[in-house]
Amino acid sequence: MKPTFKEKVLQVVRRIPRGKVLTYKEVAKAAGGHRAYRAVGNILNANHDKKIPCHRVIRSSGAAGGYNMGAGEKIKILRREGIKVKI
DNA sequence: CGTATGACGTGCA
DNA sequence: GTGCACGCCATAC
């Protein structure tokens, strides 16, 4: 089987344990494209699966980035996980 | 196949 | 430290 970049990204994000966060760059690298962080955001944006803790993927700047449910919700969830994100 | 889009990253002022 | 512009890749049409 030839999993596409999208499938790999979703798989990686789905493996993120609670209390841990990865940057889009890290996810992209884990998916096989250390330069496809753009596509990672696109994929997560198109994939609103609850089984995928996409809220655990933040920017390298320390900001939460965006979220399908709303950036505010993402920050709220991360804070609940014990992770602080830049406003 | 080519163009347009996007939850980004890095560099420079 | 903050803000702006450019560059990057994958997906959708």
Side-chain angles (χ1 to χ4, degrees):
Chain A
M1 183 176 159
K2 267 177 78 110
T4 58
F5 192 78
K6 183 171 81 162
E7 293 290 310
K8 286 193 173 179
V9 171
L10 295 173
Q11 181 95 346
V12 172
V13 177
R14 197 191 214 157
R15 284 184 192 185
I16 302 177
R18 183 184 177 282
K20 174 77 178 267
V21 290
L22 291 175
T23 63
Y24 291 96
K25 197 174 19 171
E26 290 293 294
V27 175
K29 186 172 183 283
H34 64 292
R35 301 245 153 146
Y37 33 77
R38 283 283 211 152
V40 175
N42 255 357
I43 292 159
L44 295 178
N45 179 24
N47 191 90
H48 54 83
D49 197 316
K50 294 174 63 170
K51 293 181 184 298
I52 309 219
C54 43
H55 60 263
R56 286 190 190 141
V57 185
I58 62 175
R59 292 183 63 160
S60 307
S61 310
Y67 197 49
N68 288 328
M69 243 176 137
E73 272 300 300
K74 183 172 181 178
I75 296 171
K76 199 162 139 187
I77 297 168
L78 289 174
R79 281 191 76 191
R80 216 198 276 175
E81 299 271 323
I83 298 152
K84 295 174 181 187
V85 294
K86 195 179 286 184
I87 312 171

